[in-house]
Amino acid sequence: QVQLVESGGGLVQAGGSLRLSCAASGRTFGSYAMGWFRRPPGKDREFVAAIGWSGSSTPLGESVKGQFTISRDNAKNTVYLEMNSLKPEDTAVYYCTADTRVATIVAGSSYYWGQGTQVTVSS
C-alpha cells in the first residue's frame, strides 16, 4: 500500500505562486511514478503533471505547460508541484497520485490517490 498526503494548498491572488507537496508512505517511494491531477469546480478531473521514478520523464498537461513544474525528492518521499503565474482558472482541488508507470498516471488510471488539497486563486 501507498498512502499519499497533499499539503500546500490555499488562497492566493492571481499572479501568485504556490508549491504543493505530496508526502508518500508505505512501499518504496522511489520505485513509483507520481503525478498530479486537478478537478475545477463543476468540471471533470484534469491531468496536470507526472514524473517518473528517476525524475527524467516529466509530462505536463497542455494547460499548465510553462506555468507548472513537477519535481521529486526520493530521499524525502515527496513530490512537489510548483505553480507560478496562477490564474483564477487554476482554482481546483489538486490530487496527488502514484502508480508504477508514468503512462498509467497520464491516462488517469493510477491506483493510489490522495485526498486532495484545495487551491483557490482570486482575481
Side-chain angles (χ1 to χ4, degrees):
Q1 293 290 329
V2 174
Q3 292 79 42
L4 304 172
V5 179
E6 303 97 335
S7 62
L11 175 64
V12 63
Q13 288 188 332
S17 299
L18 278 177
R19 186 176 79 160
L20 303 183
S21 300
C22 174
S25 60
R27 292 191 174 182
T28 306
F29 174 78
S31 64
Y32 279 80
M34 304 292 295
W36 292 92
F37 276 74
R38 66 185 181 185
R39 187 186 297 275
K43 297 184 178 180
D44 292 335
R45 187 182 64 185
E46 175 188 15
F47 169 70
V48 175
I51 186 166
W53 65 271
S54 68
S56 61
S57 175
T58 56
L60 294 171
E62 286 297 321
S63 62
V64 303
K65 286 183 178 179
Q67 185 187 359
F68 291 5
T69 303
I70 187 171
S71 62
R72 66 190 294 162
D73 185 337
N74 289 343
K76 296 182 178 181
N77 287 3
T78 302
V79 63
Y80 304 98
L81 185 68
E82 189 75 37
M83 306 186 294
N84 298 311
S85 303
L86 285 162
K87 301 169 280 190
E89 49 265 44
D90 294 315
T91 294
V93 178
Y94 284 73
Y95 297 92
C96 178
T97 184
D99 208 284
T100 56
R101 298 174 62 233
V102 168
T104 305
I105 290 176
V106 174
S109 301
S110 42
Y111 190 79
Y112 299 105
W113 292 85
Q115 293 298 306
T117 185
Q118 176 72 47
V119 172
T120 302
V121 184
S122 63
S123 58

